[in-house]
Amino acid sequence: MHFHSATLSDIQSRTRTRPHETKIGERILVQAELESSGPRFVLFGVKEDLGARANLGLGGAATAWDSFLNAFLNVQDTPFLRGQEIQLLGHFDFTVLPNHTDVTVMRQQVEQIDSEVSALVSQVVGAGKIPLIIGGSHAGAYANLKGAALGMRKNKPTAMLNCINLDAHSDYRIMEGRHSGNGFRYAQEEGYLQEYSILGLHENYTPENILQDLQEHPGIQFSTWEDIFLREKLNFAQALEQSIAFTQRGGNRVGIELDVDCIENVLSSALTPSGISTQQARNYLYQTAQRCEVAYLHICEAASNLENGLENRSTGKLLSYLLSDFVKGYLERNP
């Protein structure tokens, strides 16, 4: 196993205390065991970029977790957001896996990551908690959907999930071995994902064969960035409303996915100069937490350092905002 439990000493070393103030890091529950009476949210990180590299992309997504944690622990603990609402488990570190350049081998390694992450997600969901998963590539969507479905099947043997994915890409490539570009197809084909909605898909990066699959599948709904912002057939709020309405079908709980490569100029494997704003991404997470019966949150593909040398010191702070918005939205609906 590649999981490292969080330690109180590490959390304290990352938290910058000040007189007359209280930070999230001083109140968050640092504990490896899940308890029925504990916080509703269970936070953990994933340090890996194998999924992106196995999809012929840039490495770097493994760097997001530490950057996020340093920022999030230093958010103010106030009535808007209380650290005691969240249990911090720790993080997976898959950077220690042997470094291969052969795509076939990397895709086999992604299967190992799938197995370990889905087992933890299943445990958390089975305990009645909501996983908050930060970091790693979008290969993790499959592990999240599988794990959440298996966790729910402890009480409902036929449980499946619906999912909303705010993303520039569909991640619905063929089943050619596991990577960041096909997690949703694998999850749907294997019976974990039922209704799948993609918000803000980029037409320039959707191959025709995939576009045809998306259009013909009754369990898939999508809006494109171009329909929202170029053709103005609908606005962002209306596109989000369509995604939420589509994933209310069937009575399933909803996985919330955010691939930050859809946000303008945020460092990621597929960095884009043209996408949605940080404000729209924040609103997306707040609104879905408010209005969906959420199963989990996954924010992925962000990097503080890419293997090509690009760096961004604000990545962790953005991820901290995004997670905070989701938790606030959920708790305001479910005090």
Side-chain angles (χ1 to χ4, degrees), residues 16-77:
R16 302 184 297 275
T17 59
R18 295 185 65 173
H20 315 298
E21 297 181 9
T22 305
K23 304 288 185 67
I24 292 291
E26 297 176 82
R27 292 288 183 265
I28 197 168
L29 177 62
V30 183
Q31 182 174 297
E33 297 79 22
L34 295 170
E35 298 179 358
S36 59
S37 59
R40 282 175 280 188
F41 296 102
V42 176
L43 171 64
F44 65 89
V46 181
K47 297 171 71 170
E48 66 86 16
D49 55 20
L50 269 164
R53 292 191 287 117
N55 192 30
L56 309 181
L58 281 172
T63 63
W65 169 250
D66 285 320
S67 178
F68 157 79
L69 195 60
N70 290 335
F72 184 65
L73 294 175
N74 288 287
V75 168
Q76 296 288 341
D77 184 285

Side-chain angles (χ1 to χ4, degrees), residues 275-310:
I276 66 164
S277 68
T278 55
Q279 291 90 340
Q280 288 161 333
R282 294 182 63 183
N283 180 258
Y284 161 74
L285 291 184
Y286 178 84
Q287 293 294 335
T288 51
Q290 277 258 308
R291 302 170 59 194
C292 299
E293 294 299 325
V294 299
Y296 70 83
L297 168 67
H298 182 213
I299 307 175
C300 63
E301 293 286 352
S304 56
N305 303 84
L306 285 176
E307 65 179 357
N308 63 4
L310 291 178

Side-chain angles (χ1 to χ4, degrees), residues 76-258:
Q76 296 288 341
D77 184 285
T78 70
F80 295 113
L81 182 66
R82 295 295 190 191
Q84 65 191 24
E85 299 285 355
I86 301 171
Q87 177 178 351
L88 175 57
L89 282 187
H91 69 274
F92 288 97
D93 185 359
F94 296 108
T95 63
V96 298
L97 290 173
N99 188 17
H100 292 279
T101 56
D102 183 271
V103 168
T104 301
V105 175
M106 286 193 286
R107 292 176 180 178
Q108 292 169 349
Q109 291 176 316
V110 173
E111 293 180 8
Q112 179 180 352
I113 295 171
D114 288 342
S115 176
E116 294 188 32
V117 175
S118 64
L120 181 58
V121 173
S122 176
Q123 182 184 359
V124 174
V125 172
K129 312 293 184 180
I130 298 175
L132 306 174
I133 308 154
I134 303 295
S137 72
H138 216 166
Y142 168 77
N144 302 333
L145 291 163
K146 176 182 178 180
L150 294 178
M152 291 187 295
R153 287 176 185 177
K154 295 177 182 179
N155 297 315
K156 183 182 178 183
T158 60
M160 295 176 70
L161 270 81
N162 296 343
C163 184
I164 304 177
N165 179 29
L166 179 58
D167 198 340
H169 311 93
S170 66
D171 293 347
Y172 206 73
R173 292 183 183 276
I174 62 172
M175 298 170 71
E176 58 189 354
R178 287 285 298 114
H179 56 65
S180 65
N182 58 20
F184 296 98
R185 189 185 290 267
Y186 269 88
Q188 201 162 53
E189 291 288 336
E190 295 181 9
Y192 304 119
L193 171 63
Q194 188 166 23
E195 311 284 6
Y196 175 38
S197 178
I198 312 158
L199 177 59
L201 186 67
H202 284 208
E203 295 171 7
N204 285 16
Y205 295 97
T206 304
E208 187 171 3
N209 65 314
I210 294 178
L211 181 62
Q212 183 174 349
D213 288 345
L214 299 178
Q215 291 171 331
E216 294 177 353
H217 198 299
I220 297 176
Q221 178 272 337
F222 66 93
S223 59
T224 69
W225 186 96
E226 289 78 6
D227 273 350
I228 299 168
F229 297 103
L230 289 186
R231 303 182 187 100
E232 297 183 339
K233 292 183 177 180
L234 71 174
N235 59 36
F236 185 78
Q238 291 168 330
L240 176 55
E241 175 63 35
Q242 287 184 358
S243 289
I244 292 173
F246 185 78
T247 53
Q248 300 307 299
R249 306 193 310 177
N252 298 331
R253 292 174 65 188
V254 184
I256 305 301
E257 296 273 347
L258 170 56

Side-chain angles (χ1 to χ4, degrees), residues 250-268:
N252 298 331
R253 292 174 65 188
V254 184
I256 305 301
E257 296 273 347
L258 170 56
D259 185 331
V260 303
D261 69 16
C262 69
I263 308 174
E264 286 186 359
N265 299 316
V266 173
L267 202 62
S268 69

